[in-house]
Amino acid sequence: MTQAADGGLTYQTFDFKDAASAKPVQPDGAQRTTTPSLQIADGQETATPTGELFSFENNGYRYTLDVGLPKQPPHEGLIVVKGGQQVSAEPLIAYEVAPKP
């Protein structure tokens, strides 16, 4: 997930199964990346007592990223819901937070 200078939130996934067709992208500066498998703009941010939730909707799916404060469990990670039913959940292994511009 990234946040633009104007505050807009974008969620991207990079699936290994799509690696062969991914194209190199040079965003700016020294970064290197490839085209994402999925990109969803216009996310919503919600503050919680233990951190922040970032939500994105696409084709009937809702992707919620639970980013807890350090040493403030529980952290759910990424939860995917379709039609009110959870279809996937992935724990956060690592993440990096930078100050807002």
Side-chain angles (χ1 to χ4, degrees):
M1 186 202 68
T2 58
Q3 184 171 27
D6 67 1
L9 299 170
T10 301
Y11 173 75
Q12 297 178 324
T13 64
F14 298 86
D15 299 338
F16 180 75
K17 67 179 180 62
D18 299 329
S21 62
K23 305 285 186 238
V25 176
Q26 296 284 334
D28 60 11
Q31 300 106 335
R32 281 188 49 103
T33 190
T34 59
T35 52
S37 302
L38 174 66
Q39 181 169 312
I40 309 168
D42 302 322
Q44 303 296 316
E45 179 179 5
T46 305
T48 70
T50 61
E52 296 177 84
L53 296 176
F54 299 94
S55 300
F56 303 84
E57 298 204 20
N58 184 55
N59 291 333
Y61 288 88
R62 180 178 192 86
Y63 301 79
T64 302
L65 186 60
D66 180 352
V67 181
L69 298 170
K71 301 184 183 204
Q72 293 283 324
H75 308 303
E76 297 297 329
L78 176 67
I79 301 167
V80 181
V81 173
K82 182 173 185 179
Q85 300 282 46
Q86 181 175 315
V87 295
S88 179
E90 303 258 345
L92 289 179
I93 297 170
Y95 63 94
E96 182 176 343
V97 178
K100 292 184 179 183

